[in-house]
Amino acid sequence: MIYLIYWKRLIHGIQEMNIDEKIDNKFFDKNIHFLSGDVTTDSMEKIIRWILYHNLETTKKELTLYINSDGGTLVDAFGVIDLMQSSIHDFKTVSVGSSMSAAFYILISGTNGKRYAGKNSSLMCHQFSAALDSTKHHETKAWVKENDSLTHRTNNILTNAGLDKSLLKKFLSPTDFYLTSEQAKSYGVIDNIL
């Protein structure tokens, strides 16, 4: 999207863009991006490229990420979370619709004080799941080690977001843990309700 917008600007000018491209262009100019749909390698690549593009600039600014996702692959979300946390820029994260599973972790990884949810947003956190395709002993041991590592990383994301350590089991229960925006704010994992 980034390259397409500027390529069209250079070649044709803004008058040649269709309405969707004009909207994307306006959002891009305002430092706004969207996560809509599943958290996958492809959807995370677009956000990673957006962050990296803005990280080329040294003037600190606020980047806004709107989220409407039922989740997806946690390790793909880690790439975006790592860049958000290491960026010079502040990240305003806004849940519109739903922020569940891996998308929940992206939402709460926004800059403290700048994490929002719509009053009707559905938020959900749960224990991650991973498939074990083999029953070979050495592969089972490797899977258990990775499982422990993922647990440690998700715990860190939750506590860095402001969640009290005593609540980790509640948030990482084997069953889905749904929250209203008000509940998420009371737990300290978001800061404001739209």
Side-chain angles (χ1 to χ4, degrees):
M1 179 177 89
I2 294 168
Y3 303 112
L4 177 63
I5 289 170
Y6 282 105
W7 180 252
K8 285 204 169 198
R9 275 186 183 175
L10 289 173
I11 301 299
H12 303 291
I14 199 154
Q15 296 82 12
E16 297 289 325
M17 292 184 187
N18 68 37
I19 189 67
D20 287 335
E21 292 166 336
K22 286 180 182 179
I23 291 169
D24 287 343
N25 183 59
K26 191 66 160 178
F27 287 139
F28 183 79
D29 285 344
K30 299 291 183 185
N31 306 321
I32 296 171
H33 197 72
F34 294 89
L35 165 56
S36 182
D38 292 339
V39 173
T40 65
T41 302
D42 290 340
S43 65
M44 295 301 97
E45 178 194 357
K46 292 174 184 170
I47 297 172
I48 287 169
R49 290 168 49 132
W50 172 67
I51 294 169
L52 290 174
Y53 175 84
H54 286 289
N55 280 348
L56 295 173
E57 300 175 23
T58 56
T59 305
K60 187 175 180 175
K61 58 187 166 186
E62 181 178 274
L63 303 178
T64 302
L65 179 61
Y66 285 89
I67 302 168
N68 185 15
S69 172
D70 292 335
T73 309
L74 184 59
V75 293
D76 290 329
F78 284 158
V80 168
I81 292 167
D82 287 345
L83 281 176
M84 289 170 66
Q85 292 176 345
S86 65
S87 177
I88 64 165
H89 305 299
D90 285 345
F91 282 87
K92 178 180 178 182
T93 51
V94 183
S95 177
V96 289
S98 68
S99 292
M100 300 185 184
S101 191
F104 177 81
Y105 288 100
I106 294 170
L107 171 69
I108 68 172
S109 294
T111 303
N112 284 342
K114 298 183 178 190
R115 300 166 303 176
Y116 293 77
K119 65 180 177 180
N120 295 308
S121 288
S122 295
L123 308 175
M124 187 268 289
C125 187
H126 59 180
Q127 193 177 68
F128 59 87
S129 59
L132 180 60
D133 296 331
S134 177
T135 55
K136 295 178 185 173
H137 179 69
H138 69 281
E139 290 175 359
T140 302
K141 284 175 62 176
W143 180 84
V144 168
K145 186 176 179 181
E146 176 63 8
N147 192 46
D148 289 344
S149 173
L150 287 171
T151 299
H152 178 73
R153 287 183 271 173
T154 54
N155 286 350
N156 282 342
I157 292 168
L158 287 165
T159 55
N160 287 341
L163 184 69
D164 188 278
K165 287 184 180 185
S166 66
L167 296 170
L168 286 175
K169 284 187 180 182
K170 187 174 201 170
F171 273 73
L172 296 174
S173 69
T175 59
D176 295 342
F177 180 58
Y178 289 91
L179 301 103
T180 64
S181 300
E182 291 83 12
Q183 289 169 322
K185 185 176 179 187
S186 72
Y187 286 124
V189 293
I190 66 164
D191 308 298
N192 301 290
I193 299 172
L194 298 176

